[in-house]
């Protein structure tokens, strides 16, 4: 039997990267999946690439209450409930010294990463309670475990998500709702490609090589590797796991030689 047979999953940030890979894997494992994001074209590409009647999309800004209520409501109306929420939507924000970092930029990062995650869980919880339980997987980051220079807003937001997972694990436990956080390291996807361009324009390949050399496994991770982690936490295989923080960073946070 497939690991998510007859389950309904919502994946935010589903327009590419980890979200799209997670949605594709969940469908292969038997789930009906609703992907959520701000950009219609990206979501359509995800749905088309998966090529299944068991995946659909909703365009929404996860930081807005009305949009969150709408995409949660759409998932329930289309499929009868929600069993799994992967709260993956995120915004990286600028790389700037704090003195040059605007309040507006800080607020935008926190609005998407922290408020958006909290809203997704708040409005999905009642649907999960009606199903007798479920699993919430929050995408944090290795930046939620260590300090990151010139990246104060993003680092702060990802630390906050770990605290959120731990706190909401207690709220969910009486209802058999598990809440866990995954902390990816450097992943070979569009988000990291944009970082390369911003920090090393014209020397992106060399920059990636230098970063890879500092990873104990000497490479970037893949979207699919994180998706498999998400699958474990979404499935009954992790039935005794809640409030956990799971790191997939190639050994970076274990320390450098």
């Amino acid at each position: 039997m497939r690991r998510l047979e007859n389950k309904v999953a919502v994946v935010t940030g589903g327009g590419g990267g980890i979200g799209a890979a997670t949605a594709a894997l969940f469908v292969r494992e038997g789930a009906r999946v609703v992907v959520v994001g701000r950009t219609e074209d990206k979501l359509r590409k995800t749905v088309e690439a998966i090529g299944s009647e068991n995946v659909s999309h909703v365009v929404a800004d996860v930081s807005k209450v009305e949009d969150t209520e709408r995409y949660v409501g759409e998932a329930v109306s289309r499929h009868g409930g929600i069993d799994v929420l992967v709260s993956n939507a995120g915004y990286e924000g600028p790389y700037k010294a704090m003195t040059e970092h605007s309040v507006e930029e800080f607020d935008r990062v926190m609005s998407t990463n922290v408020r958006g995650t909290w809203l997704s869980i708040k409005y999905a919880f009642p649907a999960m309670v009606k199903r007798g339980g479920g699993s919430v997987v929050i995408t944090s980051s290795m930046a939620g475990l260590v300090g990151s220079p010139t990246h104060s807003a993003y680092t702060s937001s990802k630390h906050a998500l770990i605290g959120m997972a731990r706190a909401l694990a207690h709220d969910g436990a009486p209802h058999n709702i598990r809440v866990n956080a995954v902390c990816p390291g450097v992943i070979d996807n569009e988000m990291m490609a944009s970082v390369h361009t911003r920090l090393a324009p014209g020397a992106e390949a060399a920059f990636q090589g230098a970063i890879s050399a500092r990873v104990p496994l000497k490479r970037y991770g893949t979207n699919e590797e994180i998706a498999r982690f998400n699958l474990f936490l979404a499935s009954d295989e992790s039935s005794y796991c809640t409030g956990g923080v799971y790191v997939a960073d190639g050994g970076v946070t274990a320390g450098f030689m």
Side-chain angles (χ1 to χ4, degrees):
M1 184 175 179
R2 294 179 294 180
R3 284 174 280 184
L4 297 180
E5 197 73 45
N6 300 318
K7 301 289 187 182
V8 177
V10 173
V11 180
T12 69
I18 292 169
T22 297
L25 181 57
F26 281 15
V27 169
R28 292 198 298 274
E29 290 290 336
R32 289 165 289 166
V33 179
V34 176
V35 291
V36 178
R38 293 184 183 184
T39 308
E40 175 89 26
D41 288 346
K42 289 184 177 181
L43 293 173
R44 286 190 179 277
K45 287 179 181 177
T46 295
V47 171
E48 290 169 2
I50 294 171
S52 169
E53 63 182 9
N54 289 326
V55 62
S56 59
H57 73 277
V58 178
V59 177
D61 180 341
V62 299
S63 70
K64 295 181 178 179
V65 171
E66 58 273 21
D67 281 22
T68 304
E69 290 180 303
R70 180 168 51 81
Y71 75 71
V72 168
E74 283 289 327
V76 172
S77 65
R78 292 175 191 180
H79 303 298
I82 299 173
D83 302 290
V84 177
L85 168 67
V86 179
S87 193
N88 171 72
Y91 171 59
E92 191 163 52
Y95 284 83
K96 291 181 179 179
M98 187 181 68
T99 52
E100 299 172 3
H101 202 305
S102 74
V103 173
E104 292 77 15
E105 289 168 334
F106 179 87
D107 286 345
R108 183 182 173 192
V109 172
M110 299 299 284
S111 179
T112 298
N113 297 359
V114 181
R115 176 185 166 93
T117 297
W118 187 84
L119 287 176
S120 70
I121 301 169
K122 172 180 171 60
Y123 287 101
F125 252 49
M128 290 183 168
V129 170
K130 290 180 181 179
R131 300 279 272 194
S135 175
V136 176
V137 183
I138 296 172
T139 303
S140 181
S141 168
M142 68 177 184
L145 299 168
V146 296
S148 184
T150 70
H151 214 192
S152 58
Y154 183 79
T155 301
S156 298
S157 73
K158 293 301 183 176
H159 274 71
L161 293 182
I162 290 173
M164 188 184 299
R166 288 171 169 160
L168 295 182
H170 291 281
D171 291 352
H175 306 287
N176 195 33
I177 297 172
R178 299 179 294 105
V179 185
N180 292 286
V182 173
C183 298
V186 287
I187 305 300
D188 191 8
N189 60 23
E190 185 178 340
M191 176 179 281
M192 280 305 303
S194 71
V195 172
H196 301 156
T197 300
R198 278 188 285 168
L199 298 184
E204 291 89 348
F207 183 81
Q208 181 170 345
I211 296 298
S212 296
R214 299 184 68 189
V215 177
L217 289 182
K218 304 303 179 187
R219 65 175 179 86
Y220 280 28
T222 68
N223 295 318
E224 289 71 25
E225 286 175 311
I226 307 304
R228 289 196 293 270
F229 220 143
N230 290 342
L231 173 62
F232 167 71
L233 292 173
S235 75
D236 292 339
E237 293 175 359
S238 59
S239 57
Y240 200 54
C241 300
T242 195
V245 179
Y246 299 90
V247 184
D249 69 351
V252 172
T253 56
F256 296 113
M257 295 296 292

